[in-house]
Amino acid sequence: DRAPRTLTLEEQSLFALGRLYYRLQQPDKAEQYMKRFTARSDGSLEGFYYLTLIYAGQKKYAEALETLGNMEKLRPESMQIQLLKANILESLGRVEDAEKIYQRQIETSPAEPGPYQQFAQMLLKNKKEDQALTVLEQARTNLAADEDILSMLGQVYRDRQDFDKAIQAFKDAITLAPTQLDSRYQLGLTYAQMGDALNAIPIFQSLLRDTEQSASSPGFDPAM
């Protein structure tokens, strides 16, 4: 492979302006500068990436898929690009096409949590709860379940009033990430929903202590 050429000062300035206007949520200006950048930079991957995000943010999904196609040519095996593509396809209502991408990413990278999480989120959004549970449990089986996946799994089980499985999922999430507060809160909420005050109250009390300590720690600025 050829080494990427050094960008000119003009190209770097166009890219910087496009990215800054994107962050300032001024998509028209961001699109203008990023299009000029990609036209001059011989197909910069970063330029196409930001242009795809800009188009997607404006719901210009056909244009987003086109620029994403340019990214695929440059990095055909990139999981990040494929997950972004699945997200855009879902926005277009092409759920089955998005499903195929997620399934392919899970098959090729079974230990990566990202595809499972996005796949399950899409399925839940489309009222496919049973299929979402299968995907989340598959992540657990493949040792790919991180705290976010386990917490999502717990919430799905809780919604189905399968409280024993919900509690176990939240406890597993807490074991993986004991300093994260959300899974502890979700566990307390589950006990409360069950009417189990004896287990719920200590969890909420400990959360209150921890959040109060964080608020009073040195360097905390309440105006931030």
Side-chain angles (χ1 to χ4, degrees):
D1 293 343
R2 289 183 304 168
R5 68 174 178 80
T6 303
L7 296 175
T8 66
L9 188 58
E10 177 194 15
E11 291 165 343
Q12 293 180 56
S13 299
L14 288 169
F15 179 74
L17 284 165
R19 188 168 56 177
L20 286 168
Y21 278 119
Y22 171 72
R23 291 176 177 173
L24 289 170
Q25 299 183 354
Q26 296 186 39
D28 291 341
K29 289 184 177 178
E31 179 184 338
Q32 172 192 340
Y33 285 110
M34 205 57 75
K35 282 173 72 175
R36 287 174 60 189
F37 170 70
T38 54
R40 285 170 168 75
S41 63
D42 294 337
S44 159
L45 184 69
E46 280 191 311
F48 286 135
Y49 174 71
Y50 273 100
L51 196 51
T52 302
L53 295 182
I54 292 163
Y55 283 138
Q58 298 178 86
K59 299 185 178 180
K60 296 181 177 179
Y61 298 122
E63 291 91 337
L65 277 181
E66 184 178 345
T67 53
L68 194 142
N70 291 325
M71 294 167 63
E72 284 185 296
K73 293 174 186 174
L74 294 168
R75 294 277 177 84
E77 303 303 322
S78 167
M79 176 182 289
Q80 184 182 10
I81 292 170
Q82 291 304 309
L83 295 184
L84 179 57
K85 183 178 183 178
N87 187 262
I88 292 169
L89 288 170
E90 181 194 351
S91 298
L92 281 167
R94 294 169 56 183
V95 175
E96 290 184 1
D97 291 333
E99 284 187 21
K100 290 175 184 175
I101 291 176
Y102 288 130
Q103 288 165 346
R104 187 163 60 247
Q105 292 303 309
I106 287 170
E107 288 170 5
T108 56
S109 302
E112 289 292 331
Y116 298 97
Q117 184 176 351
Q118 283 191 214
F119 193 8
Q121 285 171 337
M122 184 189 75
L123 292 168
L124 290 170
K125 201 183 302 180
N126 286 276
K127 314 295 184 186
K128 297 182 177 183
E129 192 178 82
D130 289 343
Q131 196 175 343
L133 269 180
T134 299
V135 169
L136 293 168
E137 287 289 6
Q138 186 181 3
R140 186 186 242 172
T141 300
N142 290 337
L143 304 179
D146 59 10
E147 185 221 353
D148 291 333
I149 287 175
L150 290 168
S151 185
M152 190 189 308
L153 183 63
Q155 290 176 62
V156 175
Y157 278 130
R158 186 177 63 211
D159 290 344
R160 295 162 73 101
Q161 297 192 336
D162 194 340
F163 294 119
D164 288 343
K165 289 183 179 178
I167 287 168
Q168 189 58 57
F170 291 130
K171 285 183 174 179
D172 290 345
I174 292 165
T175 299
L176 272 183
T179 61
Q180 298 300 315
L181 302 184
D182 185 66
S183 295
R184 288 165 58 192
Y185 171 76
Q186 295 295 340
L187 179 60
L189 205 60
T190 304
Y191 283 126
Q193 191 170 324
M194 296 167 64
D196 186 349
L198 288 177
N199 275 307
I201 287 171
I203 292 172
F204 289 123
Q205 287 177 332
S206 70
L207 283 169
L208 191 59
R209 283 195 300 270
D210 290 347
T211 52
E212 286 174 343
Q213 287 171 3
S214 297
S216 61
S217 63
F220 176 75
D221 182 357
M224 286 181 68

